[in-house]
Amino acid sequence: MTCTLTELKRKELIETKTGTMLGKISDVEIDTDDASIVSVIVYGRPRLFGILGRDSDMIIRYTDIDLVGRDTVLISSEEKLSWREQTPKLGFIGKSQDNETQPSYA
């Protein structure tokens, strides 16, 4: 079975051990040296319609993919799925969420 990137992005990712739907494939990492797929990426969910940024991205290695079906992609992973942190995470009005010291007006 052959599949284009557009068709692959429409498929849902399902983890076989728990039956959890992880989302849809958003991006693919390709090794340019040997033209092979390294991993697929599921973008994190937007927080408050994207105004507050989004959650971390999930990276799934290609070796963890068991089956690419017509509508779904089945994966199983022996170890915990890896997450890619988004930096910097901004608050509501573009301020950093880190606890920064505020200037005192004494």
Side-chain angles (χ1 to χ4, degrees):
M1 177 175 122
T2 60
C3 183
T4 64
L5 182 60
T6 305
E7 292 170 346
L8 190 64
K9 289 176 76 170
R10 292 184 189 137
K11 298 180 189 291
E12 295 177 348
L13 278 169
I14 297 183
E15 206 274 321
T16 56
K17 293 186 188 221
T18 61
T20 306
M21 190 189 92
L22 302 173
K24 292 191 177 191
I25 296 173
S26 303
D27 206 353
V28 177
E29 282 185 274
I30 299 174
D31 184 4
T32 56
D33 293 334
D34 59 357
S36 64
I37 296 175
V38 176
S39 61
V40 294
I41 300 170
V42 177
Y43 290 154
R45 292 186 176 141
R47 292 183 282 157
L48 192 62
F49 305 108
I51 295 172
L52 299 177
R54 61 184 169 129
D55 293 334
S56 300
D57 296 342
M58 186 181 341
I59 300 173
I60 300 161
R61 294 183 314 237
Y62 185 73
T63 56
D64 291 337
I65 295 176
D66 291 333
L67 177 70
V68 178
R70 192 174 72 187
D71 298 324
T72 59
V73 176
L74 300 178
I75 65 162
S76 64
S77 178
E78 295 299 324
E79 57 190 57
K80 192 173 182 180
L81 297 172
S82 60
W83 301 86
R84 178 172 59 187
E85 287 295 323
Q86 305 297 321
T87 54
K89 290 196 175 207
L90 299 177
F92 180 65
I93 307 186
K95 295 180 181 177
S96 176
Q97 291 180 351
D98 298 336
N99 293 334
E100 298 175 358
T101 59
Q102 298 292 329
S104 62
Y105 298 103

